[in-house]
PDB file of all heavy atoms in Angstrom:
ATOM      1  N   LYS A   1       0.834  -1.203   0.000  1.00 49.00           N
ATOM      2  CA  LYS A   1       0.000   0.000   0.000  1.00 49.00           C
ATOM      3  C   LYS A   1       0.873   1.258   0.000  1.00 49.00           C
ATOM      4  O   LYS A   1       0.587   2.216  -0.693  1.00 49.00           O
ATOM      5  CB  LYS A   1      -0.919   0.018   1.228  1.00 49.00           C
ATOM      6  CG  LYS A   1      -2.149  -0.845   1.070  1.00 49.00           C
ATOM      7  CD  LYS A   1      -3.019  -0.737   2.293  1.00 49.00           C
ATOM      8  CE  LYS A   1      -4.209  -1.687   2.202  1.00 49.00           C
ATOM      9  NZ  LYS A   1      -4.977  -1.713   3.436  1.00 49.00           N
ATOM     10  N   GLN A   2       1.962   1.237   0.804  1.00 50.00           N
ATOM     11  CA  GLN A   2       2.845   2.396   0.869  1.00 50.00           C
ATOM     12  C   GLN A   2       3.518   2.640  -0.480  1.00 50.00           C
ATOM     13  O   GLN A   2       3.668   3.769  -0.914  1.00 50.00           O
ATOM     14  CB  GLN A   2       3.907   2.208   1.960  1.00 50.00           C
ATOM     15  CG  GLN A   2       3.332   2.368   3.341  1.00 50.00           C
ATOM     16  CD  GLN A   2       4.323   2.038   4.428  1.00 50.00           C
ATOM     17  OE1 GLN A   2       5.353   1.435   4.191  1.00 50.00           O
ATOM     18  NE2 GLN A   2       4.007   2.439   5.640  1.00 50.00           N
ATOM     19  N   ARG A   3       3.931   1.559  -1.165  1.00 49.00           N
ATOM     20  CA  ARG A   3       4.560   1.699  -2.473  1.00 49.00           C
ATOM     21  C   ARG A   3       3.565   2.250  -3.491  1.00 49.00           C
ATOM     22  O   ARG A   3       3.902   3.097  -4.291  1.00 49.00           O
ATOM     23  CB  ARG A   3       5.124   0.353  -2.940  1.00 49.00           C
ATOM     24  CG  ARG A   3       6.398  -0.013  -2.217  1.00 49.00           C
ATOM     25  CD  ARG A   3       7.231  -1.031  -2.938  1.00 49.00           C
ATOM     26  NE  ARG A   3       6.453  -1.939  -3.756  1.00 49.00           N
ATOM     27  CZ  ARG A   3       6.648  -3.237  -3.831  1.00 49.00           C
ATOM     28  NH1 ARG A   3       7.580  -3.810  -3.121  1.00 49.00           N
ATOM     29  NH2 ARG A   3       5.919  -4.009  -4.622  1.00 49.00           N
ATOM     30  N   LYS A   4       2.298   1.776  -3.458  1.00 48.00           N
ATOM     31  CA  LYS A   4       1.275   2.265  -4.381  1.00 48.00           C
ATOM     32  C   LYS A   4       0.982   3.737  -4.125  1.00 48.00           C
ATOM     33  O   LYS A   4       0.867   4.522  -5.048  1.00 48.00           O
ATOM     34  CB  LYS A   4      -0.017   1.448  -4.237  1.00 48.00           C
ATOM     35  CG  LYS A   4       0.039   0.111  -4.939  1.00 48.00           C
ATOM     36  CD  LYS A   4      -1.279  -0.620  -4.794  1.00 48.00           C
ATOM     37  CE  LYS A   4      -1.203  -2.004  -5.428  1.00 48.00           C
ATOM     38  NZ  LYS A   4      -2.443  -2.753  -5.216  1.00 48.00           N
ATOM     39  N   THR A   5       0.866   4.117  -2.852  1.00 46.00           N
ATOM     40  CA  THR A   5       0.599   5.507  -2.493  1.00 46.00           C
ATOM     41  C   THR A   5       1.710   6.414  -2.992  1.00 46.00           C
ATOM     42  O   THR A   5       1.454   7.470  -3.548  1.00 46.00           O
ATOM     43  CB  THR A   5       0.452   5.648  -0.956  1.00 46.00           C
ATOM     44  OG1 THR A   5      -0.553   4.751  -0.506  1.00 46.00           O
ATOM     45  CG2 THR A   5       0.073   7.061  -0.562  1.00 46.00           C
ATOM     46  N   THR A   6       2.961   5.986  -2.816  1.00 47.00           N
ATOM     47  CA  THR A   6       4.110   6.763  -3.266  1.00 47.00           C
ATOM     48  C   THR A   6       4.081   6.934  -4.778  1.00 47.00           C
ATOM     49  O   THR A   6       4.289   8.024  -5.290  1.00 47.00           O
ATOM     50  CB  THR A   6       5.431   6.081  -2.833  1.00 47.00           C
ATOM     51  OG1 THR A   6       5.389   5.872  -1.429  1.00 47.00           O
ATOM     52  CG2 THR A   6       6.630   6.948  -3.159  1.00 47.00           C
ATOM     53  N   SER A   7       3.801   5.861  -5.526  1.00 49.00           N
ATOM     54  CA  SER A   7       3.772   5.952  -6.987  1.00 49.00           C
ATOM     55  C   SER A   7       2.587   6.804  -7.453  1.00 49.00           C
ATOM     56  O   SER A   7       2.697   7.539  -8.417  1.00 49.00           O
ATOM     57  CB  SER A   7       3.731   4.562  -7.628  1.00 49.00           C
ATOM     58  OG  SER A   7       2.537   3.910  -7.318  1.00 49.00           O
ATOM     59  N   MET A   8       1.430   6.731  -6.755  1.00 51.00           N
ATOM     60  CA  MET A   8       0.281   7.557  -7.100  1.00 51.00           C
ATOM     61  C   MET A   8       0.601   9.031  -6.888  1.00 51.00           C
ATOM     62  O   MET A   8       0.265   9.868  -7.704  1.00 51.00           O
ATOM     63  CB  MET A   8      -0.932   7.173  -6.242  1.00 51.00           C
ATOM     64  CG  MET A   8      -1.525   5.818  -6.572  1.00 51.00           C
ATOM     65  SD  MET A   8      -2.441   5.847  -8.098  1.00 51.00           S
ATOM     66  CE  MET A   8      -3.952   6.591  -7.529  1.00 51.00           C
ATOM     67  N   LYS A   9       1.290   9.360  -5.777  1.00 49.00           N
ATOM     68  CA  LYS A   9       1.661  10.745  -5.498  1.00 49.00           C
ATOM     69  C   LYS A   9       2.571  11.287  -6.583  1.00 49.00           C
ATOM     70  O   LYS A   9       2.427  12.408  -7.025  1.00 49.00           O
ATOM     71  CB  LYS A   9       2.339  10.848  -4.124  1.00 49.00           C
ATOM     72  CG  LYS A   9       1.369  10.812  -2.970  1.00 49.00           C
ATOM     73  CD  LYS A   9       2.095  10.944  -1.665  1.00 49.00           C
ATOM     74  CE  LYS A   9       1.146  10.827  -0.494  1.00 49.00           C
ATOM     75  NZ  LYS A   9       1.838  10.833   0.787  1.00 49.00           N
ATOM     76  N   SER A  10       3.544  10.481  -7.008  1.00 49.00           N
ATOM     77  CA  SER A  10       4.472  10.950  -8.038  1.00 49.00           C
ATOM     78  C   SER A  10       3.746  11.156  -9.364  1.00 49.00           C
ATOM     79  O   SER A  10       4.038  12.094 -10.090  1.00 49.00           O
ATOM     80  CB  SER A  10       5.655   9.992  -8.196  1.00 49.00           C
ATOM     81  OG  SER A  10       5.212   8.737  -8.639  1.00 49.00           O
ATOM     82  N   LYS A  11       2.752  10.314  -9.677  1.00 51.00           N
ATOM     83  CA  LYS A  11       1.958  10.499 -10.897  1.00 51.00           C
ATOM     84  C   LYS A  11       1.133  11.776 -10.791  1.00 51.00           C
ATOM     85  O   LYS A  11       1.063  12.551 -11.733  1.00 51.00           O
ATOM     86  CB  LYS A  11       1.022   9.302 -11.121  1.00 51.00           C
ATOM     87  CG  LYS A  11       1.704   8.091 -11.684  1.00 51.00           C
ATOM     88  CD  LYS A  11       0.702   6.967 -11.885  1.00 51.00           C
ATOM     89  CE  LYS A  11       1.416   5.694 -12.320  1.00 51.00           C
ATOM     90  NZ  LYS A  11       0.482   4.569 -12.426  1.00 51.00           N
ATOM     91  N   ASN A  12       0.508  12.001  -9.634  1.00 52.00           N
ATOM     92  CA  ASN A  12      -0.296  13.197  -9.437  1.00 52.00           C
ATOM     93  C   ASN A  12       0.538  14.467  -9.541  1.00 52.00           C
ATOM     94  O   ASN A  12       0.102  15.460 -10.096  1.00 52.00           O
ATOM     95  CB  ASN A  12      -1.016  13.159  -8.083  1.00 52.00           C
ATOM     96  CG  ASN A  12      -2.148  12.144  -8.071  1.00 52.00           C
ATOM     97  OD1 ASN A  12      -2.627  11.734  -9.122  1.00 52.00           O
ATOM     98  ND2 ASN A  12      -2.554  11.734  -6.887  1.00 52.00           N
ATOM     99  N   LEU A  13       1.739  14.428  -9.009  1.00 51.00           N
ATOM    100  CA  LEU A  13       2.625  15.580  -9.078  1.00 51.00           C
ATOM    101  C   LEU A  13       2.992  15.892 -10.522  1.00 51.00           C
ATOM    102  O   LEU A  13       3.009  17.040 -10.933  1.00 51.00           O
ATOM    103  CB  LEU A  13       3.888  15.350  -8.240  1.00 51.00           C
ATOM    104  CG  LEU A  13       3.691  15.390  -6.723  1.00 51.00           C
ATOM    105  CD1 LEU A  13       4.980  14.998  -6.018  1.00 51.00           C
ATOM    106  CD2 LEU A  13       3.259  16.772  -6.276  1.00 51.00           C
ATOM    107  N   SER A  14       3.289  14.856 -11.315  1.00 48.00           N
ATOM    108  CA  SER A  14       3.652  15.098 -12.710  1.00 48.00           C
ATOM    109  C   SER A  14       2.452  15.610 -13.498  1.00 48.00           C
ATOM    110  O   SER A  14       2.573  16.469 -14.348  1.00 48.00           O
ATOM    111  CB  SER A  14       4.221  13.829 -13.352  1.00 48.00           C
ATOM    112  OG  SER A  14       3.233  12.819 -13.368  1.00 48.00           O
ATOM    113  N   ASN A  15       1.237  15.130 -13.187  1.00 50.00           N
ATOM    114  CA  ASN A  15       0.025  15.619 -13.845  1.00 50.00           C
ATOM    115  C   ASN A  15      -0.269  17.067 -13.463  1.00 50.00           C
ATOM    116  O   ASN A  15      -0.640  17.865 -14.294  1.00 50.00           O
ATOM    117  CB  ASN A  15      -1.182  14.753 -13.486  1.00 50.00           C
ATOM    118  CG  ASN A  15      -1.117  13.391 -14.155  1.00 50.00           C
ATOM    119  OD1 ASN A  15      -0.392  13.208 -15.124  1.00 50.00           O
ATOM    120  ND2 ASN A  15      -1.876  12.440 -13.636  1.00 50.00           N
ATOM    121  N   SER A  16      -0.092  17.405 -12.182  1.00 47.00           N
ATOM    122  CA  SER A  16      -0.391  18.758 -11.725  1.00 47.00           C
ATOM    123  C   SER A  16       0.544  19.777 -12.357  1.00 47.00           C
ATOM    124  O   SER A  16       0.154  20.891 -12.638  1.00 47.00           O
ATOM    125  CB  SER A  16      -0.345  18.847 -10.203  1.00 47.00           C
ATOM    126  OG  SER A  16       0.957  18.618  -9.739  1.00 47.00           O
ATOM    127  N   SER A  17       1.793  19.393 -12.617  1.00 46.00           N
ATOM    128  CA  SER A  17       2.713  20.336 -13.249  1.00 46.00           C
ATOM    129  C   SER A  17       2.295  20.602 -14.689  1.00 46.00           C
ATOM    130  O   SER A  17       2.451  21.700 -15.193  1.00 46.00           O
ATOM    131  CB  SER A  17       4.151  19.821 -13.179  1.00 46.00           C
ATOM    132  OG  SER A  17       4.245  18.611 -13.895  1.00 46.00           O
ATOM    133  N   THR A  18       1.696  19.601 -15.352  1.00 43.00           N
ATOM    134  CA  THR A  18       1.203  19.781 -16.718  1.00 43.00           C
ATOM    135  C   THR A  18       0.011  20.733 -16.719  1.00 43.00           C
ATOM    136  O   THR A  18      -0.086  21.609 -17.564  1.00 43.00           O
ATOM    137  CB  THR A  18       0.771  18.424 -17.322  1.00 43.00           C
ATOM    138  OG1 THR A  18       1.838  17.504 -17.164  1.00 43.00           O
ATOM    139  CG2 THR A  18       0.423  18.565 -18.796  1.00 43.00           C
ATOM    140  N   ILE A  19      -0.869  20.570 -15.752  1.00 42.00           N
ATOM    141  CA  ILE A  19      -2.062  21.426 -15.652  1.00 42.00           C
ATOM    142  C   ILE A  19      -1.653  22.872 -15.408  1.00 42.00           C
ATOM    143  O   ILE A  19      -2.184  23.784 -16.018  1.00 42.00           O
ATOM    144  CB  ILE A  19      -3.009  20.938 -14.534  1.00 42.00           C
ATOM    145  CG1 ILE A  19      -3.627  19.606 -14.950  1.00 42.00           C
ATOM    146  CG2 ILE A  19      -4.094  21.954 -14.231  1.00 42.00           C
ATOM    147  CD1 ILE A  19      -4.310  18.874 -13.823  1.00 42.00           C
ATOM    148  N   LYS A  20      -0.669  23.096 -14.549  1.00 42.00           N
ATOM    149  CA  LYS A  20      -0.218  24.451 -14.235  1.00 42.00           C
ATOM    150  C   LYS A  20       0.235  25.192 -15.492  1.00 42.00           C
ATOM    151  O   LYS A  20       0.051  26.374 -15.604  1.00 42.00           O
ATOM    152  CB  LYS A  20       0.917  24.413 -13.207  1.00 42.00           C
ATOM    153  CG  LYS A  20       0.430  24.221 -11.798  1.00 42.00           C
ATOM    154  CD  LYS A  20       1.578  24.309 -10.843  1.00 42.00           C
ATOM    155  CE  LYS A  20       1.108  24.069  -9.423  1.00 42.00           C
ATOM    156  NZ  LYS A  20       2.207  24.126  -8.476  1.00 42.00           N
ATOM    157  N   LYS A  21       0.841  24.476 -16.424  1.00 41.00           N
ATOM    158  CA  LYS A  21       1.328  25.111 -17.640  1.00 41.00           C
ATOM    159  C   LYS A  21       0.172  25.632 -18.498  1.00 41.00           C
ATOM    160  O   LYS A  21       0.333  26.602 -19.212  1.00 41.00           O
ATOM    161  CB  LYS A  21       2.159  24.116 -18.453  1.00 41.00           C
ATOM    162  CG  LYS A  21       3.503  23.820 -17.819  1.00 41.00           C
ATOM    163  CD  LYS A  21       4.250  22.793 -18.623  1.00 41.00           C
ATOM    164  CE  LYS A  21       5.525  22.388 -17.898  1.00 41.00           C
ATOM    165  NZ  LYS A  21       6.209  21.295 -18.567  1.00 41.00           N
ATOM    166  N   THR A  22      -0.990  24.998 -18.428  1.00 41.00           N
ATOM    167  CA  THR A  22      -2.113  25.389 -19.277  1.00 41.00           C
ATOM    168  C   THR A  22      -3.044  26.402 -18.609  1.00 41.00           C
ATOM    169  O   THR A  22      -3.869  27.003 -19.269  1.00 41.00           O
ATOM    170  CB  THR A  22      -2.939  24.149 -19.682  1.00 41.00           C
ATOM    171  OG1 THR A  22      -3.429  23.531 -18.499  1.00 41.00           O
ATOM    172  CG2 THR A  22      -2.109  23.163 -20.479  1.00 41.00           C
ATOM    173  N   VAL A  23      -2.927  26.614 -17.296  1.00 41.00           N
ATOM    174  CA  VAL A  23      -3.804  27.549 -16.583  1.00 41.00           C
ATOM    175  C   VAL A  23      -3.189  28.938 -16.637  1.00 41.00           C
ATOM    176  O   VAL A  23      -1.992  29.096 -16.423  1.00 41.00           O
ATOM    177  CB  VAL A  23      -3.979  27.095 -15.110  1.00 41.00           C
ATOM    178  CG1 VAL A  23      -4.785  28.112 -14.327  1.00 41.00           C
ATOM    179  CG2 VAL A  23      -4.631  25.735 -15.059  1.00 41.00           C
ATOM    180  N   PRO A  24      -4.001  29.976 -16.907  1.00 41.00           N
ATOM    181  CA  PRO A  24      -3.463  31.345 -16.933  1.00 41.00           C
ATOM    182  C   PRO A  24      -2.876  31.734 -15.580  1.00 41.00           C
ATOM    183  O   PRO A  24      -3.325  31.266 -14.538  1.00 41.00           O
ATOM    184  CB  PRO A  24      -4.689  32.210 -17.254  1.00 41.00           C
ATOM    185  CG  PRO A  24      -5.705  31.274 -17.803  1.00 41.00           C
ATOM    186  CD  PRO A  24      -5.404  29.925 -17.251  1.00 41.00           C
ATOM    187  N   LYS A  25      -1.891  32.633 -15.603  1.00 40.00           N
ATOM    188  CA  LYS A  25      -1.166  33.004 -14.401  1.00 40.00           C
ATOM    189  C   LYS A  25      -2.073  33.563 -13.313  1.00 40.00           C
ATOM    190  O   LYS A  25      -1.950  33.211 -12.155  1.00 40.00           O
ATOM    191  CB  LYS A  25      -0.078  34.018 -14.752  1.00 40.00           C
ATOM    192  CG  LYS A  25       0.858  34.293 -13.611  1.00 40.00           C
ATOM    193  CD  LYS A  25       1.985  35.191 -14.025  1.00 40.00           C
ATOM    194  CE  LYS A  25       2.928  35.393 -12.864  1.00 40.00           C
ATOM    195  NZ  LYS A  25       4.029  36.271 -13.186  1.00 40.00           N
ATOM    196  N   LYS A  26      -3.012  34.433 -13.638  1.00 41.00           N
ATOM    197  CA  LYS A  26      -3.888  35.042 -12.629  1.00 41.00           C
ATOM    198  C   LYS A  26      -4.733  33.989 -11.914  1.00 41.00           C
ATOM    199  O   LYS A  26      -4.949  34.063 -10.726  1.00 41.00           O
ATOM    200  CB  LYS A  26      -4.785  36.089 -13.275  1.00 41.00           C
ATOM    201  CG  LYS A  26      -4.052  37.359 -13.603  1.00 41.00           C
ATOM    202  CD  LYS A  26      -4.990  38.384 -14.166  1.00 41.00           C
ATOM    203  CE  LYS A  26      -4.215  39.655 -14.504  1.00 41.00           C
ATOM    204  NZ  LYS A  26      -5.078  40.656 -15.104  1.00 41.00           N
ATOM    205  N   ALA A  27      -5.223  33.017 -12.646  1.00 41.00           N
ATOM    206  CA  ALA A  27      -6.045  31.961 -12.032  1.00 41.00           C
ATOM    207  C   ALA A  27      -5.216  31.036 -11.178  1.00 41.00           C
ATOM    208  O   ALA A  27      -5.698  30.417 -10.265  1.00 41.00           O
ATOM    209  CB  ALA A  27      -6.754  31.165 -13.124  1.00 41.00           C
ATOM    210  N   ARG A  28      -3.918  30.964 -11.467  1.00 36.00           N
ATOM    211  CA  ARG A  28      -3.046  30.030 -10.774  1.00 36.00           C
ATOM    212  C   ARG A  28      -2.583  30.555  -9.424  1.00 36.00           C
ATOM    213  O   ARG A  28      -2.361  29.807  -8.495  1.00 36.00           O
ATOM    214  CB  ARG A  28      -1.835  29.714 -11.667  1.00 36.00           C
ATOM    215  CG  ARG A  28      -1.029  28.546 -11.167  1.00 36.00           C
ATOM    216  CD  ARG A  28       0.079  28.160 -12.107  1.00 36.00           C
ATOM    217  NE  ARG A  28       1.101  29.182 -12.160  1.00 36.00           N
ATOM    218  CZ  ARG A  28       1.600  29.684 -13.287  1.00 36.00           C
ATOM    219  NH1 ARG A  28       1.163  29.287 -14.446  1.00 36.00           N
ATOM    220  NH2 ARG A  28       2.532  30.598 -13.251  1.00 36.00           N
ATOM    221  N   GLU A  29      -2.437  31.849  -9.264  1.00 38.00           N
ATOM    222  CA  GLU A  29      -1.834  32.401  -8.046  1.00 38.00           C
ATOM    223  C   GLU A  29      -2.547  31.993  -6.763  1.00 38.00           C
ATOM    224  O   GLU A  29      -1.908  31.526  -5.837  1.00 38.00           O
ATOM    225  CB  GLU A  29      -1.733  33.921  -8.157  1.00 38.00           C
ATOM    226  CG  GLU A  29      -0.615  34.333  -9.100  1.00 38.00           C
ATOM    227  CD  GLU A  29      -0.601  35.815  -9.371  1.00 38.00           C
ATOM    228  OE1 GLU A  29      -1.415  36.552  -8.782  1.00 38.00           O
ATOM    229  OE2 GLU A  29       0.237  36.236 -10.175  1.00 38.00           O
ATOM    230  N   PRO A  30      -3.876  32.086  -6.651  1.00 37.00           N
ATOM    231  CA  PRO A  30      -4.531  31.643  -5.403  1.00 37.00           C
ATOM    232  C   PRO A  30      -4.315  30.165  -5.129  1.00 37.00           C
ATOM    233  O   PRO A  30      -4.118  29.770  -3.997  1.00 37.00           O
ATOM    234  CB  PRO A  30      -6.007  31.954  -5.639  1.00 37.00           C
ATOM    235  CG  PRO A  30      -6.029  32.989  -6.708  1.00 37.00           C
ATOM    236  CD  PRO A  30      -4.821  32.710  -7.567  1.00 37.00           C
ATOM    237  N   ARG A  31      -4.315  29.325  -6.170  1.00 32.00           N
ATOM    238  CA  ARG A  31      -4.102  27.889  -5.973  1.00 32.00           C
ATOM    239  C   ARG A  31      -2.707  27.605  -5.453  1.00 32.00           C
ATOM    240  O   ARG A  31      -2.510  26.748  -4.630  1.00 32.00           O
ATOM    241  CB  ARG A  31      -4.324  27.145  -7.304  1.00 32.00           C
ATOM    242  CG  ARG A  31      -5.770  27.053  -7.662  1.00 32.00           C
ATOM    243  CD  ARG A  31      -5.947  26.161  -8.851  1.00 32.00           C
ATOM    244  NE  ARG A  31      -7.333  26.186  -9.252  1.00 32.00           N
ATOM    245  CZ  ARG A  31      -7.752  26.166 -10.494  1.00 32.00           C
ATOM    246  NH1 ARG A  31      -6.884  26.117 -11.478  1.00 32.00           N
ATOM    247  NH2 ARG A  31      -9.023  26.185 -10.769  1.00 32.00           N
ATOM    248  N   ASP A  32      -1.724  28.324  -6.002  1.00 33.00           N
ATOM    249  CA  ASP A  32      -0.348  28.136  -5.517  1.00 33.00           C
ATOM    250  C   ASP A  32      -0.275  28.439  -4.023  1.00 33.00           C
ATOM    251  O   ASP A  32       0.378  27.736  -3.269  1.00 33.00           O
ATOM    252  CB  ASP A  32       0.628  29.039  -6.277  1.00 33.00           C
ATOM    253  CG  ASP A  32       0.891  28.542  -7.694  1.00 33.00           C
ATOM    254  OD1 ASP A  32       0.547  27.367  -7.973  1.00 33.00           O
ATOM    255  OD2 ASP A  32       1.415  29.310  -8.485  1.00 33.00           O
ATOM    256  N   PHE A  33      -0.962  29.487  -3.599  1.00 31.00           N
ATOM    257  CA  PHE A  33      -0.956  29.849  -2.179  1.00 31.00           C
ATOM    258  C   PHE A  33      -1.593  28.756  -1.334  1.00 31.00           C
ATOM    259  O   PHE A  33      -1.063  28.350  -0.331  1.00 31.00           O
ATOM    260  CB  PHE A  33      -1.704  31.178  -1.991  1.00 31.00           C
ATOM    261  CG  PHE A  33      -1.806  31.601  -0.555  1.00 31.00           C
ATOM    262  CD1 PHE A  33      -0.698  32.139   0.105  1.00 31.00           C
ATOM    263  CD2 PHE A  33      -2.971  31.426   0.160  1.00 31.00           C
ATOM    264  CE1 PHE A  33      -0.786  32.516   1.429  1.00 31.00           C
ATOM    265  CE2 PHE A  33      -3.055  31.775   1.476  1.00 31.00           C
ATOM    266  CZ  PHE A  33      -1.966  32.330   2.114  1.00 31.00           C
ATOM    267  N   ILE A  34      -2.729  28.212  -1.810  1.00 34.00           N
ATOM    268  CA  ILE A  34      -3.418  27.155  -1.071  1.00 34.00           C
ATOM    269  C   ILE A  34      -2.576  25.890  -1.014  1.00 34.00           C
ATOM    270  O   ILE A  34      -2.393  25.298   0.036  1.00 34.00           O
ATOM    271  CB  ILE A  34      -4.798  26.848  -1.709  1.00 34.00           C
ATOM    272  CG1 ILE A  34      -5.729  28.045  -1.486  1.00 34.00           C
ATOM    273  CG2 ILE A  34      -5.421  25.593  -1.129  1.00 34.00           C
ATOM    274  CD1 ILE A  34      -6.983  28.027  -2.330  1.00 34.00           C
ATOM    275  N   SER A  35      -1.990  25.499  -2.156  1.00 33.00           N
ATOM    276  CA  SER A  35      -1.209  24.248  -2.152  1.00 33.00           C
ATOM    277  C   SER A  35       0.034  24.387  -1.289  1.00 33.00           C
ATOM    278  O   SER A  35       0.481  23.425  -0.704  1.00 33.00           O
ATOM    279  CB  SER A  35      -0.831  23.854  -3.589  1.00 33.00           C
ATOM    280  OG  SER A  35       0.023  24.818  -4.140  1.00 33.00           O
TER     281      SER A  35
END
């Protein structure tokens, strides 16, 4: 379970970085603060 959780987190992190590139800067700033 720990290995699966770790691999899921790394996949989510790589996906989130892709999403950040497509979101406009103004919309991204509040999310960056929350995360």
Side-chain angles (χ1 to χ4, degrees):
K1 280 182 185 173
Q2 286 174 345
R3 285 200 331 223
K4 281 182 183 176
T5 305
T6 306
S7 65
M8 290 286 281
K9 282 181 183 175
S10 63
K11 282 181 186 176
N12 288 341
L13 288 174
S14 63
N15 288 341
S16 65
S17 62
T18 308
I19 291 166
K20 280 185 182 179
K21 288 177 186 174
T22 60
V23 175
K25 189 175 182 181
K26 285 183 181 178
R28 192 175 68 229
E29 286 173 3
R31 286 188 185 142
D32 286 345
F33 177 76
I34 291 166
S35 65

